[in-house]
Amino acid sequence: MATTRTATTHWEGNLLQGKGTVALESSKIGTYDVNWPARAEQPGGVTSPEELIAAAHSSCYSMAFSHGLAGKGHTVEALDTRADVTFQPGEGITGIVLTVKARVPGLSEADFQAAAEDAKKNCPVSQALAGVKNITLHAELLG
């Protein structure tokens, strides 16, 4: 069964001095300020499209990784994923670094790395971001 999730943005003004809000409509969990300085300089308590992409990518990757491991009979004790999305004004999103640390008893390092790469390849958000030329993964299996 397909699902659709919705977010809306209200924007006022031009790109550089303007500002807006993005609302997570489906979940109703919040409305967040967005503006150019938060995107191209420092966040200053305001979000950006890239931060929202990072949130989507880290959560989707974690779900895909956990699901893949469970499908191979492994139990994930803990999985922590970070996504760093780099935005270069004038170029766009130039890279994403996924960093995952996981505790999965009984899993070899080789099987862990293979599962980590498989999750990166098959995570729906990774697939949606296929236009980003540089998506890298650093995966660490914790003892």
Side-chain angles (χ1 to χ4, degrees), residues 22 24 32-35 38-40 42-59 82-87 93 95-96 125 129:
V22 60
L24 305 181
Y32 304 94
D33 294 333
V34 292
N35 63 32
R39 189 172 194 188
Q42 293 298 315
V46 178
T47 195
S48 68
E50 290 72 28
E51 184 177 36
L52 297 170
I53 289 170
H57 206 176
S58 67
S59 60
R82 173 183 173 130
D84 295 298
V85 176
T86 301
F87 173 75
I93 295 173
I96 300 172
V125 172
L129 295 170

Side-chain angles (χ1 to χ4, degrees), residues 48-88:
S48 68
E50 290 72 28
E51 184 177 36
L52 297 170
I53 289 170
H57 206 176
S58 67
S59 60
C60 183
Y61 177 84
S62 294
M63 291 178 186
F65 196 13
S66 175
H67 180 67
L69 289 169
K72 294 183 179 183
H74 300 287
T75 300
V76 174
E77 283 185 3
L79 192 114
D80 293 296
T81 304
R82 173 183 173 130
D84 295 298
V85 176
T86 301
F87 173 75
Q88 177 65 45

